[in-house]
Amino acid sequence: MESDMNMLIQGLLVAALVILLIVQAVLNSRRIRTLQRDLGEQTRKVDTLNQHLLAALDALPDLMFEMDLNGRYLDYHSPRTELLAADPSDFIGKTLAEMLPEDAASIGLSALQEAQQCGYSQGKQIALDLPDGPHWFELSVARKATSPGSVPTFIVLSRDVTERNQATHKVERLSRLYAALSLCNQAIMHCNNETELFPLLCRDAVNFGGMKMVWIGILDPADQLIKPVACHGTGTDYLANIALSADPASPQGQGPSGIALHEDRAFWCQDFQNDPATRPWHQQGAQFGWGASAAVPLHRKGKTIGLLTVYSNEKNAFDDASQQLLLEMAIDISFALDRFVDEAQRITTLKALRDSEERYRKAFKTSPDAINITRIADGLYLDVNQGFERLTGWTADEVVGKTALELDVWHDPADRKKLVESLRRDGRCNNLEADFVRKDGSICHGLMSAEIVRFKDVDCILSITRDVSEKKRADAQIERLALFDQLTGLPNRAQLQDRFKFALQLAQRGGGAMALMFLDLDHFKNINDTLGHSIGDQLLIEVARRLKATLREEDTLSRLGGDEFILLLSDTNQEGARQVALKLIANVAQSCQIEQFELINTVSIGIAMYPQDGADFETLSKNADTAMYRVKRAARNDFCFFTQEMQANSARSLQLINALRHAMERHELSLVYQPQVALEGDRVIGAEALLRWHQPELGTISPAEFIPLAEESGQILEIGEWVLRTAVAQLKQWMQNGLPPLIMAVNLSAVQFRHPNLLEMVTRILDEAGVPHGALELELTEATAMDNPATAIAIMDRLHERGIHLSIDDFGTGYSSLSYLKKFKVSKLKIDQSFVSDISIDPDDKAIVTAIINLAASLELKTIAEGVETLSQLNFLRLQGCDEVQGYFFSRPLPADAFEQYWQQHDKPSSTAS
């Protein structure tokens, strides 16, 4: 019985255990499902966080890297790959030292070390040279949280702060110039003569104005040389032997200083090492680190007496604001020079007063400045001179015996109190600026200097006052010139760009459009040349008035200079721009009466639309300018919208300009020589050197296409010198090979002809080659010679004096003046091939050619006809008495060796060069 009970108990225990296990299994199953559900929820949250993190990383404006303490790139997390110096695949796994310049890598490693110690690093900057120029990046570094014992890693943010740095640098540069200007004015106030003032100005401009070197030169009237009198900074030693002249005809007077002095205008050289005007000093510029320079005239009593010359270590250092500050400094210095003269006169006057009452009276009464004597105690007038009467309007009888308070002379009585305090303290007061009330109630601004003098044991004030109202107005005008065009009163380019930025923000915010127009008057130069600049200026004022009257209040019309205007039409679509252009053209085309002249002018307009033609001012203005020139090349008096086809033409021109920059160094340029034949004896007497360009990728390019581009881009000077040097060297080689003396004809562009170093360059090349001056003939186009006849005559005279021949090319295609032609020192007229081609059949061409030959003969000039291709043309020219010819009838232009063979085949025993 007991055993049964035990078995029963054991069975119950087993059953209970089984039930317990079953319950536990059910609970575990539920717990597992709950854990699985929680795990899925957590996984979704992690995925969402990862997506948010990736989106945040993609939105970063900065470059973001992950690095170790050694500067090794572990990962790259930013989409701004355009700011990278290399593809991410090229630097992941490499170190800063392997990828960056030494200085930049060192700064990056120091930021990592700081972040290792402090947890973060901020503010360190590195500089990198990227394809589009130098960039500055600011680094922010943070140490990533890691488990104990693991290798630390860092998150590095690199922000492009180039624009901020450039803006800061510009502000700093202007601040330095403002500081220098302030110190300049303080020096002016405290110095009594040029010897004291000039060294201080040079020192302050270098030490506080940020300039590399500054010097002041004074013109010596005896020899017209500019003599340095004060200097400071790097490179002053070269001034010891400098020879600069104010004579424009002298080679020493054709640099920035000479030009600034004899033209009485500031000369801004923004790229010292590449400006042709500074070529003689490029070596010093490279040695002393001069990037830009400025030469600003100084005046004394209205006459140009010297220069303030400054050098900066930066290119393009003199923007509009900097130029205005330097001009203002020059004005203040000139004012000080006037004051020194005045002060010297004042001292002389005081000495004369002590020496002689009669001399005192004469000086006192006749001084151009206002001089008066008053009691210091109450301001009672004891005497005044004629200058005082002119300045104030009161006569001596009306003033003497009355006080300044009774006459209410001082506009602000506090100014007189300041004068008296200074006199009691120092015995004198220099350069007190104050406003005075004239008799008629008007206000004048005066600059007063005074001393205490005693008359009959009474302390009195002897004061000299100069009216500087004009200077105050001039200062206000300078401020106005910073924003407005002086002639028309229209906003200038700086103000236009500010208004463009505002209009652009509105257009971007509202999705609107706007138009930018370039306007250029047609044939305006003819009006200036024929009627004078005064009439031209009045016409510009009238045109500006008509243009502005056509526009809305919110539109901005600006004058760029000359006869060019630019117009900003905000919130305007293409149709609106078209309607405005039509109205502008119609209004400008209406006749206007300027003095006794009835003038009719037209305008060419180019239009660029935002946003399709550009998203910034520079792009839109460039495209509008391109469209305007398309109108100029077509019919004029019309408008044109910018198109992509114009862009393609501009791209072609840019491609050629860039390729032309390397043409000489890559030996792509060559010369060919076309024989010139004298009809008397049918003998070769000369050769015309003709330029050819074969570019490997673009092929052979016509001179008619690349020569204008060379002139436009400024490369024609270097290319023209190469052509002249090569042609002269070839002529020397032919002479050594036994050819008789020949005339080498070389074409001069208008840019070359106007260059101040032309005579020096030509004679140097001839002398170095050992070729007689008379063996060279320079060909000028008719348009070049007549562009500025007076200047052309001066240049021709100087070339003629050196024995160099001159000829007029393309004669008859321009607008010659016979009165000038007879003054030109030329030996030959060249008949253009456009007249020669049809002289066998066209009676008009026959008449023109005959007239040119007869005209030349009457002026004792020779004639040469180009483009002779047929026997009938040759016979006609021979019959009319033409002296020389060239053309395909005799020979195409030939390489040098082929020309020599041609001459040997056509040489005659009796041939001699004329």
Side-chain angles (χ1 to χ4, degrees), residues 381 384 388-389 392-403 406-407 439:
Y381 282 98
V384 298
F388 180 92
E389 294 177 337
T392 65
W394 276 294
T395 65
D397 293 340
E398 294 172 322
V399 171
V400 173
K402 295 183 180 179
T403 66
E406 289 178 288
L407 297 173
K439 181 179 180 180

Side-chain angles (χ1 to χ4, degrees), residues 658-677:
N658 290 333
L660 194 57
R661 297 188 191 282
H662 307 286
M664 283 198 298
E665 66 187 58
R666 295 173 181 172
H667 305 293
E668 296 170 2
L669 298 179
S670 63
L671 292 185
V672 292
Y673 304 90
Q674 187 169 43
Q676 295 181 328
V677 179

Side-chain angles (χ1 to χ4, degrees), residues 22 36 76-77 134 166 171 195 229 332 362 376 387 495 511 559 581 633 745 809 864 879 881:
I22 292 171
Q36 290 175 338
Y76 168 65
H77 300 287
Q166 291 173 342
V171 170
T195 306
V229 296
D332 292 344
K362 184 176 180 181
I376 194 171
Q495 189 174 178
R559 179 175 176 239
R633 288 192 295 268
D809 194 10
I864 179 171
L879 182 63

Side-chain angles (χ1 to χ4, degrees), residues 778-794:
L778 298 177
E779 293 189 0
L780 313 173
T781 65
E782 185 178 7
T784 299
M786 294 304 302
D787 181 56
N788 188 337
T791 302
I793 290 171

Side-chain angles (χ1 to χ4, degrees), residues 204-423:
D204 292 342
V206 172
N207 295 343
F208 300 97
M211 294 296 106
K212 193 75 173 177
M213 196 265 277
V214 177
W215 65 278
I216 293 176
I218 298 299
L219 177 65
D220 186 341
D223 56 13
Q224 289 294 294
L225 294 180
I226 305 168
K227 309 291 179 63
V229 296
C231 60
H232 193 79
T234 304
T236 56
D237 291 344
Y238 106 102
L239 294 172
N241 299 316
I242 194 170
L244 299 176
S245 173
D247 182 3
S250 169
Q252 289 78 25
Q254 297 169 3
S257 298
I259 294 172
L261 200 60
H262 67 70
E263 294 187 7
D264 193 19
R265 64 176 178 87
F267 189 99
W268 311 103
C269 174
Q270 301 288 17
D271 186 354
F272 191 93
Q273 288 304 105
N274 294 300
D275 195 318
T278 59
R279 181 176 298 170
W281 304 279
H282 283 178
Q283 181 179 353
Q284 288 89 345
Q287 177 183 355
F288 301 124
W290 299 336
S293 71
V296 186
L298 300 177
H299 302 87
R300 183 194 291 124
K301 293 298 181 181
K303 293 184 178 180
T304 306
I305 56 93
L307 294 166
L308 170 68
T309 304
V310 300
Y311 300 82
S312 172
N313 61 350
E314 302 177 40
K315 291 183 180 179
N316 302 308
F318 304 110
D319 55 17
D320 290 344
S322 300
Q323 292 182 13
Q324 289 299 325
L325 287 176
L326 286 173
L327 290 173
E328 184 174 346
M329 181 180 293
I331 291 174
D332 292 344
I333 295 172
S334 299
F335 181 74
L337 298 180
D338 288 349
R339 184 173 64 81
F340 292 153
V341 174
D342 297 339
E343 186 68 12
Q345 292 176 349
R346 185 180 71 85
I347 294 173
T348 301
T349 302
L350 290 175
K351 185 176 183 300
L353 283 171
R354 299 185 187 102
D355 292 343
S356 167
E357 176 68 18
E358 180 182 355
R359 290 164 57 190
Y360 151 70
R361 261 307 176 214
K362 184 176 180 181
F364 181 86
K365 288 298 183 183
T366 61
S367 173
D369 295 325
I371 303 178
N372 60 81
I373 302 173
T374 58
R375 286 196 309 226
I376 194 171
D378 55 7
L380 182 75
Y381 282 98
L382 303 179
D383 201 356
V384 298
N385 74 338
Q386 297 171 359
F388 180 92
E389 294 177 337
R390 289 192 298 269
L391 178 66
T392 65
W394 276 294
T395 65
D397 293 340
E398 294 172 322
V399 171
V400 173
K402 295 183 180 179
T403 66
L405 182 63
E406 289 178 288
L407 297 173
D408 197 19
V409 171
W410 295 85
H411 185 258
D412 185 353
D415 288 333
R416 185 179 190 278
K417 182 178 179 183
K418 189 186 304 182
L419 169 68
V420 173
E421 290 175 351
S422 178
L423 289 170

Side-chain angles (χ1 to χ4, degrees), residues 473-518:
R473 283 191 286 270
D475 291 341
Q477 179 67 7
I478 289 174
E479 183 177 355
R480 174 175 173 78
L481 290 176
L483 294 176
F484 293 91
D485 173 55
Q486 185 177 9
L487 179 65
T488 63
L490 296 175
N492 64 9
R493 187 183 183 92
Q495 189 174 178
L496 173 67
Q497 288 180 319
D498 288 341
R499 295 189 184 182
F500 177 86
K501 291 177 183 177
F502 179 73
L504 180 63
Q505 291 173 355
L506 294 179
Q508 290 173 336
R509 192 177 305 144
M514 58 182 176
L516 200 67
M517 293 186 180
F518 256 65

Side-chain angles (χ1 to χ4, degrees), residues 17 22 65 170 280 408 505 639 724 886:
L17 180 59
I22 292 171
F65 308 94
K170 180 178 180 180
D408 197 19
Q505 291 173 355
F639 70 92
L724 183 60
Q886 66 184 84

